[in-house]
Amino acid sequence: MRCVIIGNGASGTHAMLSLLTHTPQTEVILVTDDEPFFYSRPEITRLIEDPTALKHLEMPLPGEVQRKLKLVHQHVEGIDPRQGKVYLGNHEPLSYDTLILSTGAEPKPVTVIGVPKERILTLRTARDALRIASFLKDARQPVVLGGGLIGLKVAHTLTLMGMPPRVVVSSPRILSRTLDTESASKIQALFEAHGVTFHLGITLKSADWDGKKRQGILRTKRRDKIPFDILLVGKGVSPRVKLARNAGLLIENGGIAVSESMETSFPHHYATGDCASIFNHETGRYENRPIWPVAAESGRVAGEAAAGKLISGRRFSTPVPRNAIPFFSVPVVSMGTVTGDTLKVTSYESANGSVRRTFFFNEGKLSGATLIGDITHAGLLFEAIRRETRLRKLPDWLLQGIPSLAGGTPPMEVLFS
Amino acid sequence: MREIFFIPDRCLPGCNACQMACVGEHLKNKGVLSPLAGLPFPKKVRSQPAENTIKTPRPHPVRCLHCDPPRCVEACLSGSLIKNPEDGRVGNNVEQCIGCFMCVVHCPFGAIIPLPSEQISIKCDGCLWSKAPACVRACPTGALIFVEPQTYNEKLKMKDRFRKRKIQPAKLLPARV
Ligand SMILES: Cc1cc2nc3c(=O)[nH]c(=O)nc-3n(C[C@H](O)[C@H](O)[C@H](O)COP(=O)(O)OP(=O)(O)OC[C@H]3O[C@@H](n4cnc5c(N)ncnc54)[C@H](O)[C@@H]3O)c2cc1C
Ligand code: SF4
Ligand code: SF4
Ligand code: SF4
């Protein structure tokens, strides 16, 4: 059997690993137009700081896998699911028995009237990060567009480099989809203490650009003026579905529609990671969740399904949103649904204000949590959110993050009995 | 896959040999004496081969179930968590860890401890890089044993049956690995 995987991100890599583990005799061909090796995408902000760090981002693969894998460094122009063919630039088409699409996502294009195109930089690949690094060499006033996790990650990196940026956010607050209002303002204060300036609730109108001085001024609807010399975009992404759409695969909610075993509308064609919308039988909807753990898990599931080895205990677990990220050594965790007017909120803040733990309930069931400064029991909480556990009263040890006597998290039965 | 089991009635309170052995095992020079002498421990165990001293001791819990599929490994952003394909033990290659704590969120058993100040997370790795767990090897009374779960269950059942006959249950479990 020959399996072609398009994309070597988290999901493509995990699909390849699980396929080769379960059926070592399969011929696996991985096609990518990114770097011809495996690296961690969330870590690319490190390249902005230190362009030589690329080798540290490389993820190690077992020697066995390295020997068996065939890597083709090409852009895929099209696929033909009926004939089982993948068309590469100026190469012979590749034929396959099974195809796994792991084409990921790409940043939504951003244009600001008046700003030259090359001064608006997006961040998705190692190459993008290196490009930003080269532009930053003679930049003085970087501006980050977007107050989400990626925007803040970029702002964090720039601050560590001694170049705290201005962050322009269209919503009235930062992290509007990840954190509740109070927790977000805590993180905002943390960034401000390190010299970052926030411009919230901004709609950009246009910009004046001085080509000689290589400086410009952003103009907003509220008539603010924000000076800049480079714009770094850290906004949302859209799934890369061009190949699938042209081939006639079903698209739902922006991504390639897949079942819980990652199968698309064509048999023997799978889609994984950021480019897929996974069917959630609890909500009855297709959900596109562009985060790493979903990408990695869906890749593993697709690999096992393609190998014919997917058993019920190893199916895709959940597309529930979650993320963890440390800012200036303060750990931040967000899990489940944390915004919405109908949610009931319980929160705890430590006396010195360094810790804030907020819990969200929907009709008595735990639906989400945000933890700042102290992430004790995060794993148990995520499991409780995933299972929509009904809690009559939130125990103090969970609220305040008190470790059990033995020093860790109490056994799960405590919550789920 | 063999797992570590703890038999509380065999454990000597205050002995702590297992904890010492665990720290020792995770030092570059594998010296059990350095934790005893209160010497500083290495900061990032496998990342600074030239220097084997760290400032603060780290806890090493015996809680990881070495799951299959391991959610922590799938969530790990840097590829530092790995599952040994041969014996299934899950370990953290702290050299590579970036301290993002995605693994902490994904372990339902709380087996991973975040260390924000060191920007790493630590977990029991089943002493992945050596033949048998150091804590088990160090335990002088056999309170920690490293056996197949099936063996353990069978012995437990026997233990139950013999309890009524007043035979010392601890004797029925293997004394050492
Ligand atoms: C800066 C940054 C920070 C992030 N931080 C986090 C975080 O903290 N936590 C988190 O959970 N997630 C984070 N993410 C998101 C996470 O990186 C993605 O969810 C994950 O990488 C998705 O993996 P994937 O395999 O689905 O897609 P990708 O990693 O995008 O891989 C897709 C691959 O397909 C290739 N490809 C696409 N089309 C073609 C074609 N036609 N021909 C050939 N090759 C093609 C691409 O070159 C690419 O290599 C971050 C992302 C970025 C950019
Ligand atoms: S750390 Fe947790 S999730 Fe990972 S293998 Fe151990 S018990 Fe399982
Ligand atoms: S904290 Fe370290 S081990 Fe845990 S997910 Fe992040 S990089 Fe991996
Ligand atoms: S098995 Fe190894 S890592 Fe785990 S607690 Fe014992 S000594 Fe420590």
Side-chain angles (χ1 to χ4, degrees), chain A residues 104-302:
Chain A
E106 57 199 347
K108 287 182 186 146
V110 171
T111 48
V112 182
I113 302 166
V115 185
K117 247 192 187 161
E118 71 276 5
R119 287 270 147 184
I120 306 183
L121 300 169
T122 52
L123 178 62
R124 181 72 193 178
T125 60
R127 248 169 285 161
D128 293 343
L130 294 175
R131 217 164 92 86
I132 291 178
S134 72
F135 268 87
L136 278 178
K137 271 189 208 136
D138 47 21
R140 294 283 163 275
Q141 293 174 309
V143 166
V144 175
L145 299 185
L149 277 175
I150 295 191
L152 287 191
K153 216 167 173 171
V154 174
H156 182 239
T157 308
L158 294 183
T159 312
L160 293 183
M161 290 165 72
M163 214 192 288
R166 288 166 186 273
V167 181
V168 175
V169 188
S170 48
S171 353
R173 63 182 181 88
I174 61 165
L175 297 172
S176 54
R177 270 180 293 170
T178 319
L179 293 182
D180 53 295
T181 315
E182 286 81 17
S183 304
S185 62
K186 253 191 172 354
I187 298 300
Q188 183 178 338
L190 179 68
F191 271 86
E192 282 167 349
H194 284 85
V196 177
T197 318
F198 287 95
H199 300 269
L200 304 176
I202 298 286
T203 317
L204 286 182
K205 227 172 74 187
S206 62
D208 301 330
W209 177 253
D210 182 339
K212 260 196 201 136
K213 284 194 194 152
R214 296 200 180 170
Q215 277 174 358
I217 289 180
L218 290 172
R219 292 181 186 283
T220 71
K221 275 219 170 118
R222 287 198 319 232
R223 306 229 176 100
D224 302 317
K225 290 179 183 172
I226 304 167
F228 76 99
D229 51 16
I230 181 173
L231 291 184
L232 305 175
V233 184
K235 284 183 166 254
V237 292
S238 45
R240 271 176 99 168
V241 294
K242 200 171 128 206
L243 293 176
R245 181 174 282 137
N246 291 348
L249 265 58
L250 183 67
I251 307 287
E252 285 281 351
N253 198 4
I256 307 167
V258 292
S259 67
E260 280 168 326
S261 53
M262 305 304 137
E263 207 160 1
T264 64
S265 48
F266 264 83
H268 303 295
H269 287 67
Y270 300 84
T272 62
D274 287 11
C275 69
S277 287
I278 304 169
F279 186 71
N280 182 349
H281 70 220
E282 268 158 36
T283 57
R285 279 197 300 261
Y286 286 94
E287 291 181 26
N288 177 254
R289 188 78 63 207
I291 53 173
W292 179 281
V294 167
E297 188 180 355
S298 63
R300 193 256 307 153
V301 171

Side-chain angles (χ1 to χ4, degrees), chain B residues 19-30:
Chain B
Q19 292 183 16
M20 294 290 183
C22 183
V23 178
E25 181 69 22
H26 293 82
L27 300 183
K28 199 72 199 171
N29 60 4
K30 310 225 164 186

